[in-house]
Amino acid sequence: MASLTNLFSELTVGNLTLKNRLTMAPLYLGYAGEGGTVSNLLLDYYRNMAQSGVAMVVVENATVDHPTGSGSSRTIRADTDDNLEGLAQLAATIKQEGPLACLQINHAGRFAVTPEPVAPSSVETFGGMPKALSKKEMRGLVDTFAHAALRVKKAGFDMVELHGGTGYLLAQFVSPRTNKREDEYGGSLENRHRFPLEVVATVKEAVGDYPVGY
């Protein structure tokens, strides 16, 4: 079938050439070491996935802000240069098997495993109440995403992906259920999009000519 022929044909995305139309989607494993280090178990898993024949492996979410933005103690970290060596090893492990390597970065927002999680608004979450972010804190988080994305590039990944789904911080701003703000970041859909779009713009400025997914 012609459609299946296309499935195994090359695809160009920006300056990247994917050998086929198959990619591995990011999936949280909990295989990172305690505190978010790149463990041997994590390397073994992604090495096996990279041998599957896909054109790109997208690695599960790495936190941009630990512990405030981490969904667990075993979430990969991309928040400091101390994490660069492990991330570089992970990227190289994948690329040695043939596929391109992408790393997803994330802030868990109200789902972070921390005594004082933050969110667009104070909306009850599993019996807890996150702190509503101030505009100053939001500006700081925009830069935090950008620094993490630049770290992904320095580590040797071919692409960075912003985690804009499954109810984490960027999605929390978009949803009217979790965004009750009364300033320019809340209310209309245009306003609720404002913070995620600021993150995208600042990330793209930081990484330059480098693919950014969302």
Side-chain angles (χ1 to χ4, degrees):
M1 295 173 62
S3 58
L4 293 181
T5 301
N6 290 338
L7 186 63
F8 295 101
S9 63
E10 286 189 351
L11 177 67
T12 300
V13 180
N15 59 1
L16 298 179
T17 299
L18 282 71
K19 64 184 180 182
N20 56 49
R21 312 299 177 94
L22 302 173
T23 64
M24 177 190 166
L27 173 69
Y28 173 71
L29 300 166
Y31 288 175
E34 187 69 30
T37 58
V38 173
S39 66
N40 287 331
L41 179 60
L42 198 71
L43 293 173
D44 288 343
Y45 174 83
Y46 279 105
R47 183 181 296 109
N48 286 336
M49 293 299 101
Q51 293 169 350
S52 66
V54 296
M56 176 184 285
V57 171
V58 186
V59 176
E60 65 197 80
N61 80 102
T63 187
V64 300
D65 188 19
H66 181 81
T68 311
S70 294
S72 78
S73 64
R74 293 189 183 275
T75 297
I76 304 169
R77 291 175 60 179
D79 59 312
T80 73
D81 286 344
D82 292 340
N83 308 121
L84 258 177
E85 184 177 352
L87 294 177
Q89 190 177 6
L90 179 54
T93 296
I94 293 168
K95 293 166 72 170
Q96 283 168 2
E97 303 300 331
L100 300 175
C102 174
L103 180 62
Q104 184 185 73
I105 57 174
N106 185 39
H107 190 296
R110 69 193 190 116
F111 293 125
V113 181
T114 179
E116 296 184 341
V118 297
S121 306
S122 295
V123 176
E124 185 178 351
T125 307
F126 299 137
M129 190 66 71
K131 173 184 173 294
L133 286 160
S134 69
K135 291 182 184 178
K136 181 179 179 180
E137 290 169 329
M138 288 163 59
R139 286 192 293 272
L141 282 178
V142 170
D143 291 336
T144 296
F145 268 99
H147 292 318
L150 190 56
R151 212 165 275 122
V152 173
K153 181 180 180 180
K154 288 180 178 178
F157 284 91
D158 300 292
M159 178 176 172
V160 65
E161 179 178 275
L162 305 179
H163 195 343
T166 61
Y168 290 121
L169 184 67
L170 298 181
Q172 289 163 26
F173 269 91
V174 175
S175 171
R177 192 170 88 75
T178 49
N179 184 345
K180 306 293 185 182
R181 300 179 72 93
E182 296 180 353
D183 58 11
E184 67 269 33
Y185 292 95
S188 69
L189 181 59
E190 180 183 5
N191 284 357
R192 300 197 311 273
H193 280 164
R194 193 180 305 275
F195 177 74
L197 289 177
E198 287 178 358
V199 172
V200 171
T202 305
V203 163
K204 287 177 70 67
E205 182 179 2
V207 298
D209 185 19
Y210 182 73
V212 177
Y214 188 97

